[in-house]
Amino acid sequence: MVDKILHEFVKECGYPRALDMFEKISSGKKLRSKLILKIAGQNEISLRLCAVIELIHLASLLHDDVIDDSTIRRGKPSINALYGSKNSIMLGDILYSKGYYEIVSLDPQIAKIVSKAVLDLSIGEMMDVDLGSKFSPNLDEYLKMIELKTAVLIQAAATSAAMIAKVDAKAYGIYGKNLGLAFQIVDDILDISADETTLGKPAFSDYKEGKTTLPYIFLYNALNLDDKEILKSLWGKELDENQTKWIKGKFDEFNIVHKCKEFAKELGYKAIASVSDEGLKEIVSSMIDREF
């Protein structure tokens, strides 16, 4: 149903080329929609909210792929790889604009919450670019960036769904924020632990793209001074087999994946503690309690 509404939304824009490009976007798992429907149930308002949130999320990914020069998204060619960066940016703008156009038909307070989340998301994207200009092992900066870039939209989805369901929006917002933080950290772990087929992109691509994610922050803080310099020297570069092997060896030596997973679990526990919904607890468990 959400896919059907999304298709209609983009079709209503009246530009067949935009619809053709939109249909080439590799569809994800729709975590945000699943969360909304789990909280608010399936009805006309909740489905419309799902479609708006998905439009915004997809728009952010289109822009993100251009910023990162990513040619693969979820195992398939990215839109910028297929149509070029200019088209990818403009399609993202169309999806953002359509999302805002549709959101005005929802409760004004929900529109305000989602719009603020998009503002924060854009700031998070800029923070990500700024942090990507240098090796940045600052944990607080990293956590703030992923809160804005990833968690705020998931938090807005949970809060808005709770408002539709007339339950404690603040509690569900806490759930959404911590779920979003854990979600991003799990994604960071998978970049260093999953194979390319599972990941849908080359492994270790985060570090090559200049992203100092949680595993590298934890590793840097565990290394001696000489090894710290080696790790910094590999940042933002194409890694050869020996360099990748060195980093993997250090990850294993200091049990970094386990430490990151425990960090994500703590966030998951905070999410679970804020609500009593068993279905929402299962979302957290299925994301974190897995093989890396």
Side-chain angles (χ1 to χ4, degrees):
M1 287 298 297
V2 173
D3 282 336
K4 184 178 178 181
I5 296 168
L6 283 169
H7 183 274
E8 286 302 312
F9 276 176
V10 181
K11 186 178 179 181
E12 286 167 6
C13 294
Y15 190 48
R17 180 167 170 75
L19 182 60
D20 179 63
M21 290 170 62
F22 174 77
E23 290 176 342
K24 298 293 194 305
I25 298 175
S26 182
S27 180
K29 296 178 180 177
K30 294 187 173 60
L31 169 66
R32 294 151 194 82
S33 290
K34 288 177 181 176
L35 185 56
I36 290 166
L37 298 176
K38 185 72 75 173
I39 297 169
Q42 183 170 315
N43 54 67
E44 184 179 349
I45 297 173
S46 64
L47 287 169
R48 198 170 193 85
L49 175 63
C50 287
V52 167
I53 293 287
E54 292 298 337
L55 279 178
I56 290 167
H57 176 57
L58 290 172
S60 73
L61 295 183
L62 288 169
H63 288 180
D64 204 30
D65 283 344
V66 172
I67 292 167
D68 293 339
D69 292 320
S70 298
T71 58
I72 298 173
R73 168 66 63 178
R74 297 169 182 143
K76 296 181 180 180
S78 61
I79 296 300
N80 51 300
L82 292 172
Y83 297 96
S85 294
K86 292 179 181 179
N87 280 315
S88 188
I89 290 169
M90 292 313 301
L91 179 60
D93 289 348
I94 288 169
L95 300 189
Y96 269 132
S97 301
K98 181 61 172 173
Y100 280 125
Y101 179 81
E102 294 297 336
I103 204 171
V104 298
S105 66
L106 299 175
D107 183 296
Q109 190 60 30
I110 290 175
K112 199 170 182 178
I113 289 167
V114 175
S115 297
K116 178 60 166 64
V118 178
L119 170 62
D120 289 341
L121 187 159
S122 301
I123 293 169
E125 287 278 11
M126 185 171 282
M127 283 184 67
D128 193 21
V129 172
D130 289 341
L131 291 176
S133 65
K134 62 186 183 302
F135 180 82
S136 180
N138 186 307
L139 179 60
D140 289 338
E141 286 183 346
Y142 162 81
L143 290 175
K144 185 61 179 177
M145 183 273 290
I146 66 169
E147 177 186 344
L148 295 177
K149 185 179 175 182
T150 303
V152 289
L153 192 58
I154 296 175
Q155 181 178 4
T159 302
S160 300
M163 292 176 67
I164 293 170
K166 294 181 169 37
V167 292
D168 189 344
K170 184 176 180 180
Y172 281 84
I174 293 169
Y175 172 90
K177 175 184 174 180
N178 286 289
L179 176 69
L181 291 170
F183 177 81
Q184 184 58 57
I185 289 169
V186 168
D187 197 55
D188 292 346
I189 297 169
L190 290 172
D191 180 75
I192 65 169
S193 63
D195 57 59
E196 185 170 341
T197 302
T198 303
L199 198 57
K201 61 179 181 177
F204 285 78
S205 61
D206 283 347
Y207 205 55
K208 181 190 74 174
E209 293 170 2
K211 297 180 186 294
T212 315
T213 58
L214 189 66
Y216 297 97
I217 293 172
F218 279 176
L219 179 59
Y220 180 80
N221 290 325
L223 293 172
N224 61 41
L225 290 176
D226 289 339
D227 285 344
K228 275 182 165 68
E229 292 304 312
I230 293 173
L231 183 65
K232 286 169 66 176
S233 74
L234 300 177
W235 172 84
K237 296 178 181 177
E238 284 283 354
L239 302 176
D240 62 32
E241 187 177 342
N242 288 332
Q243 291 166 334
T244 302
K245 186 176 180 181
W246 183 86
I247 293 177
K248 284 182 176 178
K250 293 300 178 182
F251 278 141
D252 291 341
E253 180 181 346
F254 293 100
N255 208 12
I256 297 300
V257 169
H258 174 74
K259 290 177 181 177
C260 291
K261 187 176 179 182
E262 289 302 305
F263 196 97
K265 276 187 174 181
E266 286 300 317
L267 292 165
Y269 294 147
K270 288 181 182 178
I272 289 171
S274 66
V275 295
S276 57
D277 189 314
E278 289 299 322
L280 295 183
K281 292 179 181 179
E282 287 175 14
I283 289 177
V284 173
S285 298
S286 65
M287 184 176 69
I288 297 174
D289 295 332
R290 57 195 289 184
E291 293 300 320
F292 288 91

